[in-house]
Amino acid sequence: MILFAGISAARVSSVPVAQAVNTAPVDRTRFAEFSPGEFDNVSLTSEGHLELAPAMTNTADVTDPVVWAAVQDAQGNVFFGTGNQGKIFKLTPRANSRSSLRPMR
């Protein structure tokens, strides 16, 4: 038993000691001080306040670079006009997306 205690004490003494760090308060009060940063789940207001950001869910994967307009019908379908080729997409309430109309050439 005494031999075991001596081996344990030797193991503990060979463990490196972690050094503490000094902390300092950070005071950010202006928009310009926050704006270069990246935000996760928070929004930065123009007054410089941080707020919880609304949850976002990607419901459609459209490859067109721009959505120009969107409208919802009585059944909850959303139609949106996109990009340079003038495609119109339909997004159903179940989040199914498909191209509905294409311009005539």
Side-chain angles (χ1 to χ4, degrees):
M1 189 69 153
I2 294 173
L3 177 63
F4 178 71
I7 293 172
S8 295
R11 284 188 184 161
V12 170
S13 65
S14 66
V15 174
V17 176
Q19 298 295 321
V21 296
N22 293 330
T23 59
V26 176
D27 186 19
R28 302 283 189 249
T29 56
R30 295 181 311 193
F31 182 83
E33 294 171 328
F34 280 109
S35 61
E38 293 183 21
F39 304 103
D40 290 328
N41 302 320
V42 294
S43 297
L44 176 63
T45 68
S46 59
E47 293 85 27
H49 299 132
L50 289 175
E51 298 176 352
L52 289 177
M56 296 181 66
T57 303
N58 187 12
T59 58
D61 189 19
V62 178
T63 58
D64 291 15
V66 177
V67 174
W68 293 108
V71 64
Q72 185 174 17
D73 67 9
Q75 290 78 33
N77 299 307
V78 177
F79 295 89
F80 51 99
T82 64
N84 303 328
Q85 298 178 4
K87 295 178 187 174
I88 298 176
F89 288 85
K90 176 182 178 183
L91 180 64
T92 67
R94 291 191 178 121
N96 296 327
S97 173
R98 64 179 167 84
S99 178
S100 292
L101 303 169
R102 293 178 185 255
M104 293 178 14
R105 295 199 184 241

